[in-house]
Amino acid sequence: MAKPAQGTKYRGSIHDFPDFDPSRDAEALYTAMKGFGSDKEAILELITSRSNRQRQEICQSYKSLYGKDLIADLKYELTGKFERLIVGLMRPLAYCDAKEIKDAVSGIGTDEKCLIEILASRTNEQIHQLVAAYKDAYERDLEADIIGDTSGHFQKMLVVLLQGTREADDVVSEDLVQQDVQDLYEAGELKWGTDEAQFIYILGNRSKQHLRLVFDEYLKTTGKPIEASIRGELSGDFEKLMLAVVKCIRSTPEYFAERLFKAMKGLGTRDNTLIRIMVSRSELDMLDIREIFRTKYEKSLYSMIKNDTSGEYKRALLKLCGGDDDAAGQFFPEAAQVAYQMWELSAVARVELKGTVRPADNFNPDADAKALRKAMKGLGTDEDTIIDIITHRSNAQRQQIRQTFKSHFGRDLMADLKSEISGDLARLILGLMMPPAHYDAKQLKKAMEGAGTDEKALIEILATRTNAEIRAICEAYKEDYHKSLEDALSSDTSGHFKRILVSLATGNREEGGEDRDQAREDAQVAAEILEIADTPSGDKTSLETRFMTILCTRSYQHLRRVFQEFVKMTNYDVEHTIKKEMSGDVRDVFVAIVQSVKNKPLFFADKLYKSMKGAGTDEKTLTRIMISRSEIDLLNIRREFIEKYDKSLHQAIEGDTSGDFLKALLAICGGED
């Protein structure tokens, strides 16, 4: 079993088996494989209950007792994914990694994801052991095989990682931090083309601790995380490798939690990835991976494996997982610490928000108005011209085009567009032509008119807009519909939900920083109303009012601190707890506020994903978000989308829409990630 460093706590899920007797275990395995068929349950139970060191002793005893190779016998008796998992457990970690890499570079094609995962995540010592194991097992040089099977900058970075010469974590040079930031910035953002060698040298050799400081300083200096620069400057497998290196430097367990989630989400399971990670991390950091998994994905690793696999394969994986963390939203102490630190990082990060639609250079409203008139005159409509002009102008420029169109032709551009185009394309183009506040006002009006209310649309708009945006919407609503937004909400909703929406619609959220003492008091109120505090200190009605006031009026920066203090105080995550303890529209609006505070672009990325997944597309939500975020943070939303769902927003739109609607959406999307 891998021994933890002096003074550190062991974080694996598999431990040495007490009263271990390798000869007795060898006999038990021999009996389980003797005769017709094999006792898979006995094999599973024994092998997943022993540490890797103990399994090696069992292999030796088996050879001594029966003159046979235990791994060869297991291969003969077992099949499929279960066999791959059990055989993987029987090899020492370095030999298991060597086998995975050999498979990745053998035959036609290369499994680049496997190479990236192993070489980006292993320590210097693990790399050295891997190189030696590869030589021993295959009588080949690992570096030579990697060079023979890869190319370009991807190959160069793999070779650097293969040296296992990253500086030790106590090697941190403060003077060098700023220099590395400057070198990375000049090698990418400031350079025509990219100096990949600088990225390779710095990310491949500096200590993890040093690089964490570099990443923090890079964000402060450039206004964007290093990951965003890598995505913008690099491409293909080289980009994926460098992103994996950055993730492992930030947090290796978080990198593996993400890999496991992606291996099981959606249709089909990437079993090779699932097996490789569960085997290789079971005696290193599986407990950390489990904690982060639930923190990020709102479910335990155990429950996801249970729902995604079956048979002996599932039972063996669950044994390696080592336990179920799913008391929804509750963290054991180490996990609470991880969650607290994640809030700390989110409070520090100040990511620059960017839209995808920007003002057109050399803008000529006169020429645009004439081109649009021509596109709509006579028989047939030139949709391509309409899409091209309207999706490549900022909203302010579109308003100028409307004015110029009226001055030139004495006609209303909106009315002409409405008569010439229809369906989803019309909703999208006409939405883009409206000033943002009037567009949001119209969406709110539509959500409340007719039979039934579209609560999701009300929540999405009112829970995410800034004070200035809310006030502009209120003015636009009054101007367009001769009624106050507050009156409309009051007549169409009821109870706590109405009170929350009306509070949000006042646009009076505080805009200052955090107050730590107040944050602790606010966290206590949240704990009491969500019924997990030890000593309630007030009647429930006044607590509910205070909780609503906290979520609807405190600044985002202050609320981040409240949520962090909540974790510290209760070992629970506030979002999970709201989902568990509340219901209906009140729960949904509070969750939307919390998610917006945590990461607003991710909130919208989730909404976009849900609008396109499964059978049928929710075109209204898709259109509303693409229009309303196009000049604010759609570029950030794109980054969150690909990060979480392993596919670009561009790909999702392409796979889920068609025709002119597709063309217009892709133009607003602004590019393929």
Side-chain angles (χ1 to χ4, degrees), residues 432-564:
L432 287 168
M433 290 304 303
M434 294 179 75
H438 289 266
Y439 178 72
D440 276 348
K442 184 176 183 182
Q443 297 308 302
L444 291 168
K445 180 77 164 64
K446 280 186 164 184
M448 291 183 281
E449 67 188 7
T453 305
D454 182 353
E455 291 86 1
K456 287 182 179 175
L458 296 179
I459 290 167
E460 179 204 300
I461 294 169
L462 294 174
T464 61
R465 301 308 192 249
T466 64
N467 284 343
E469 288 166 342
I470 290 281
R471 288 168 195 157
I473 292 167
C474 287
E475 284 177 31
Y477 200 95
K478 185 87 174 170
E479 183 186 328
D480 294 345
Y481 307 112
H482 313 293
K483 183 179 185 179
S484 76
L485 176 58
E486 184 179 328
D487 287 347
L489 290 167
S490 295
S491 60
D492 204 66
T493 58
S494 60
H496 286 310
F497 184 54
K498 176 178 84 175
R499 288 174 60 207
I500 296 162
L501 292 182
V502 168
S503 176
L504 291 171
T506 60
N508 284 325
R509 187 177 290 286
E510 295 161 2
E511 294 183 343
E514 64 184 57
D515 176 334
R516 289 203 176 212
D517 293 334
Q518 183 64 57
R520 280 189 279 274
E521 282 181 38
D522 290 346
Q524 181 64 33
V525 170
E528 289 174 17
I529 194 65
L530 295 170
E531 299 183 340
I532 55 176
D534 295 332
T535 52
S537 61
D539 72 277
K540 190 153 184 181
T541 306
S542 73
L543 277 172
E544 283 172 350
T545 302
R546 284 174 69 194
F547 185 57
M548 187 192 83
T549 302
I550 289 163
L551 286 185
C552 294
T553 67
R554 300 284 195 254
S555 73
Y556 271 27
Q557 193 174 338
H558 180 82
L559 283 173
R560 282 192 187 96
R561 178 61 61 183
V562 173
F563 300 158
Q564 192 176 6

Side-chain angles (χ1 to χ4, degrees), residues 47 50-59 89-90:
I47 289 174
R50 307 299 186 268
S51 67
N52 192 278
R53 179 185 63 77
Q54 290 175 331
R55 292 182 209 123
Q56 304 319 309
E57 290 187 48
I58 296 169
C59 280
L89 287 168
M90 293 307 301

